[in-house]
Amino acid sequence: MKLFSNSKKMSAIATTVPFVKKGNTYRVSPDSAQLLADIGGTAALTRMITIFYSRVFKNPHLEVFFSNTSDPHAERLAAWISEKMGGLQDGDLVPTKPKPTTRFSDDVAEADSNLLDEDAIKECEKSCPFQRPRGVTSGIKECPIWIERFPWTYEREMHRNLEPVIIHQTGYGSDRVKRSRVTVHDRSSAHFAAWHSTKRPVKDLGVHFELDDARAWMRLHFWACRTAGLFHSEEEGVAEMDNAADPQPDAPALSRETQDKFQKWYTQFLGHFVRVYESDAPPFAPHEVAWSSSKERLQDYLSAIESGEHGMVDVIDILDPREAMEKITYI
């Protein structure tokens, strides 16, 4: 089923989904919202991100950024991505012919996201006032449609654990470690906590994410997309490798067309937002997609992880983007 009723608009993305930006700022669109519905919504993203974090926590280079691996990292990141794909406001909607007003009931909370159209969102805008119970965000709505559109914002305002977490900091020019605390309530504070994780060596405390961190992160992320069936893998057996952490191994398969559309769009999406971590990282996104496509490379990586190594000797500690690009041999 289609999330939006403008068939001409939706038929335009039969083979590709536009990655919409205004200037250099990403914009959610009806096309990205439809793509989210097509892949299975937030649940599909949560499945993929759960697989991703299971591998991140086994990698000694990346695991040190997480003081507490038992936090709901997968659910939070999946909700953020879902909101970026489908968090439509009234002004973003596709214009359609007038329809009968949607009536709200308890059944709406259980509605399939594919059935939620622009009329329902408009009624939500009118009938549900904004609230700020804890003052964490600019406001949320206790409306099932709004919550489905903005799961990350809703979680932050209503459910996020705001108890400060312990971090390590050092004084300027000093190696003396000082314990401090920070409240993790959004991406920026989460990044700050990662830079000052209690697991990081003293010499690395406060150092922001670097090119090798971002590339390793993208490699495992795109590999998780293959394991979860969101990307197509030409080589037989790639999707089944190291899939023990897959919470839904028997989930229905996506069509090849949907996989290809999502891979193209999501590679641009991740490449766009990885610049928040490291400004030189975006051009490497297509290369890391290619890295995750080889069964031989993945097997070499898994063997290294089993030996307690990070498995990315061609990436780790190579911080110059020109040198890093010259060392790529798999694309």
Side-chain angles (χ1 to χ4, degrees):
M1 291 185 179
K2 291 300 183 185
L3 186 60
F4 300 97
S5 56
N6 190 324
S7 59
K8 290 184 179 180
K9 175 71 174 179
M10 296 316 303
S11 64
I13 64 165
T15 57
T16 187
V17 177
F19 185 77
V20 180
K21 293 196 297 182
K22 185 176 182 179
N24 203 34
T25 302
Y26 164 78
R27 295 292 299 271
V28 65
S29 70
D31 294 333
S32 64
Q34 182 63 58
L35 182 61
L36 174 64
D38 289 345
I39 66 169
T42 305
L45 292 173
T46 302
R47 175 192 177 193
M48 182 267 286
I49 299 296
T50 298
I51 297 168
F52 163 67
Y53 274 116
S54 74
R55 291 169 180 159
V56 167
F57 296 153
K58 293 177 184 177
N59 187 296
H61 180 81
L62 296 175
E63 191 269 344
V64 296
F65 287 110
F66 300 86
S67 293
N68 185 358
T69 58
S70 65
D71 283 344
H73 297 287
E75 291 80 0
R76 290 174 182 172
L77 180 54
W80 179 81
I81 297 170
S82 178
E83 187 166 313
K84 287 296 182 183
M85 293 186 72
L88 293 169
Q89 300 282 10
D90 182 45
D92 299 319
L93 298 171
V94 179
T96 59
K97 295 179 180 179
K99 297 179 181 178
T101 302
T102 304
R103 299 186 60 83
F104 284 94
S105 68
D106 293 338
D107 295 334
V108 175
E110 299 178 3
D112 186 326
S113 63
N114 288 339
L115 302 179
L116 303 180
D117 62 18
E118 58 266 41
D119 291 334
I121 301 173
K122 288 177 181 178
E123 183 169 333
C124 173
E125 290 289 325
K126 295 177 182 177
S127 61
C128 301
F130 273 103
Q131 306 174 50
R132 300 183 69 219
R134 299 196 296 175
V136 179
T137 68
S138 59
I140 59 94
K141 293 191 174 192
E142 287 287 0
C143 163
I145 294 178
W146 193 96
I147 294 170
E148 183 163 1
R149 298 291 183 188
F150 301 94
W152 184 68
T153 300
Y154 186 81
E155 184 272 335
R156 288 174 57 219
E157 184 65 53
M158 300 299 294
H159 302 301
R160 180 69 60 95
N161 182 359
L162 299 180
E163 182 178 349
V165 299
I166 296 174
I167 60 172
H168 282 173
Q169 293 181 284
T170 57
Y172 181 76
S174 171
D175 289 338
R176 183 177 179 181
V177 176
K178 178 180 69 174
R179 283 164 58 96
S180 184
R181 292 177 182 271
V182 64
T183 299
V184 178
H185 63 90
D186 60 7
R187 283 199 306 154
S188 296
S189 55
H191 293 169
F192 185 84
W195 301 332
H196 296 88
S197 167
T198 57
K199 296 178 181 179
R200 297 193 80 183
V202 174
K203 66 180 180 62
D204 293 335
L205 287 175
V207 176
H208 292 198
F209 304 118
E210 297 185 293
L211 180 59
D212 55 349
D213 307 321
R215 291 185 63 196
W217 189 88
M218 285 193 288
R219 284 184 171 187
L220 298 187
H221 201 119
F222 291 133
W223 180 15
C225 287
R226 296 185 187 280
T227 305
L230 298 180
F231 284 12
H232 174 73
S233 295
E234 292 287 350
E235 186 174 347
E236 186 175 351
V238 167
E240 290 73 32
M241 294 191 67
D242 189 43
N243 64 350
D246 187 350
Q248 295 176 288
D250 299 323
L254 298 179
S255 69
R256 173 65 185 275
E257 180 185 13
T258 299
Q259 289 177 320
D260 289 346
K261 286 194 296 185
F262 182 73
Q263 178 173 326
K264 183 176 181 180
W265 185 91
Y266 197 66
T267 301
Q268 295 179 80
F269 176 83
L270 215 60
H272 175 82
F273 280 101
V274 78
R275 66 192 173 101
V276 174
Y277 296 82
E278 215 290 327
S279 59
D280 290 319
F284 290 88
H287 300 287
E288 310 319 340
V289 172
W291 178 87
S292 68
S293 67
S294 166
K295 189 174 181 179
E296 181 179 359
R297 280 193 294 272
L298 296 180
Q299 187 55 64
D300 289 344
Y301 171 80
L302 290 172
S303 296
I305 291 295
E306 290 176 2
S307 300
E309 302 169 355
H310 55 63
M312 298 191 187
V313 294
D314 60 326
V315 166
I316 305 304
D317 294 329
I318 303 175
L319 305 182
D320 179 76
R322 183 172 299 179
E323 178 187 358
M325 197 64 77
E326 289 174 350
K327 288 184 176 292
I328 294 176
T329 60
Y330 46 82
I331 191 170

